[in-house]
Each structure stands twice: as structure tokens, then as C-alpha cells.
Amino acid sequence: MLSDYIGLKKKEIISFVGAGGKTTMMFKLARELKANNKVLVTTTTKIYIPPVNKYDFICTDKENFFKYYTMKDNGIYVLGLGVNEENKILGVSTKELDELVSYFDYILIEADGAKEKQLKGWNEFEPVIYGKTTKTVGIIDIQSCGILINENNIHRSKIFCEITGAKEGQTVKIEHLFKIIMHPRGLLKGAQGQKILYINKIEDPNHLILARLLVVKINFKNKKLLNKVFIGSLKTNVYFR
């Protein structure tokens, strides 16, 4: 199970950052945990309203939060502060999270936005990681290796280039992914608690080779930046440590 690879314990607060699988991972974990737990799924940025089969309870009006967070029923609770014109749920603040924490067994927070692109660069205000986070999970899409570096493919491609030393119009290399993971302004900028890297979308032997090359590079240089690395595919539910 995905939760075993992350090593979850009750009362964990997990913040998800990066691109290429944050929302999918968050709801997969919530589904694994919901049978015997109250699981809060929320955001400190914005997320699309999930399909009705992804949650048990939803509230996007702070005035009604109390009714939901004091309920005793196990299940997946999606809470936010409203819905914007893009049909996205507006994120909660530190103040709201402080009020909610004690009422849930697990809290899963999407703490980053990537405009549904495969990679991103981070501006100074991102990601928005809750201070009481116990695990920060950074997600990298291995299928981004080989894509063209431009704003169509990479959210804030200019900042991505600043961080990695790449140039617009080049293709993404393993070296660029390595730099975006390890750089102080990169994937785990502002991370709280345990720092976990997940390399996603390993769906053929070539992806596996690329992911293993990346892991070897990380292990060689990792000076305790990362507590754990695992790889796999959220699509096929196959994972490797």
C-alpha cells in the first residue's frame, strides 16, 4: 500500500509539493486510510473540486466547518474556503488548519500548484507548507525527462531555468531533474518534517532506467536532505523503494 511506502502513523499531517501526481496521490492515500479514520483532504493553495466518488463529505463554506469537523463518521472530508470561477476550491490558512487538526486522524494537504504541467519553478511565495506538517512529499514526473523547456510544458519555466541552469528550448535532462530536487529553491523548499521524494509515472522499462539513474545521482550527493526516496506509478499502483 502507498501509505506503507510513505510510512504513515496516526495524526500525521502530510503536505504534497511538486508536479505530476500530487492530487492523485493525495486521494489514493485518503482512500486507503478512510475505512478506520477521519481523513481531511484540503489545500493551502487551490485544487479543482474532486469528483463525488473521491470523497464522503465536502464543505466549501467556513461558516459550516464546525458541523463537518465535529462529525464522528470515518471517511474523506474535503474542506475549503470557497470555490472560484475556475471551479477550484480555495485553500485554508494556518489559522483554519490549527482549528481543524485535533478533529482528524490524518490531514492531507496539497501545498503547491503546477497548472497541471509536468514540472515547475517556484516563486518566492511557494510552496505554502503548513508549519505543523510532519511529512513533506515532493513529487517528480519521470516522463518529464525529454520534454521541451518552455512555458507550455513547465510552469514558470524561466524560474525552472534559473534553478537548474537549463535554457528555454532545450530538452529536460536527468541533470535538470536532479538540480530541481536538490536545490534550496527547488522541490523541497520550505519543507517541514520528514522529507520524502516520490518519482512518479514509471510505466515502461525506459522510465525505470531513468528513475534509477536519478536515484543513484541523488544517493551519491544526498547530505541528509531526503529522509526517504521511492519510485513507482500511481496509475498502475506499482512501487519500489
Side-chain angles (χ1 to χ4, degrees), residues 30 33-40 55-57 72-77 104-105:
L33 298 166
K34 72 175 228 171
N36 302 306
N37 299 288
K38 271 184 75 176
V39 183
L40 173 61
Y55 60 85
D56 300 293
F57 310 99
K72 302 295 182 195
D73 307 61
N74 290 330
I76 300 169
Y77 292 71
F104 292 91
D105 298 305

Side-chain angles (χ1 to χ4, degrees), residues 149 156-168:
I149 298 169
R156 298 200 182 89
S157 60
K158 186 179 174 188
I159 298 174
F160 176 86
C161 289
E162 286 172 16
I163 293 170
T164 61
K167 290 187 169 51
E168 296 264 349

Side-chain angles (χ1 to χ4, degrees), residues 1-8 197-199 202 208 211-212 215 219 228-232 238-241:
M1 288 171 72
L2 194 51
S3 52
D4 296 328
Y5 283 88
I6 296 173
L8 291 187
L197 172 67
Y198 172 61
I199 302 171
I202 296 166
L208 184 58
R212 284 180 169 160
V215 170
N219 286 341
K228 189 179 292 187
V229 179
F230 73 110
I231 67 177
V238 176
Y239 309 103
F240 311 89
R241 281 195 171 85

Side-chain angles (χ1 to χ4, degrees), residues 76-113:
I76 300 169
Y77 292 71
V78 176
L79 301 182
L81 293 184
V83 178
N84 69 9
E85 64 284 351
E86 296 177 281
N87 211 33
K88 285 185 172 181
I89 295 172
L90 303 175
V92 293
S93 69
T94 294
K95 182 173 177 290
E96 278 98 33
L97 281 165
D98 284 343
E99 290 172 16
L100 296 167
V101 164
S102 62
Y103 293 93
F104 292 91
D105 298 305
Y106 293 91
I107 295 179
L108 311 180
I109 304 168
E110 187 158 322
D112 203 4

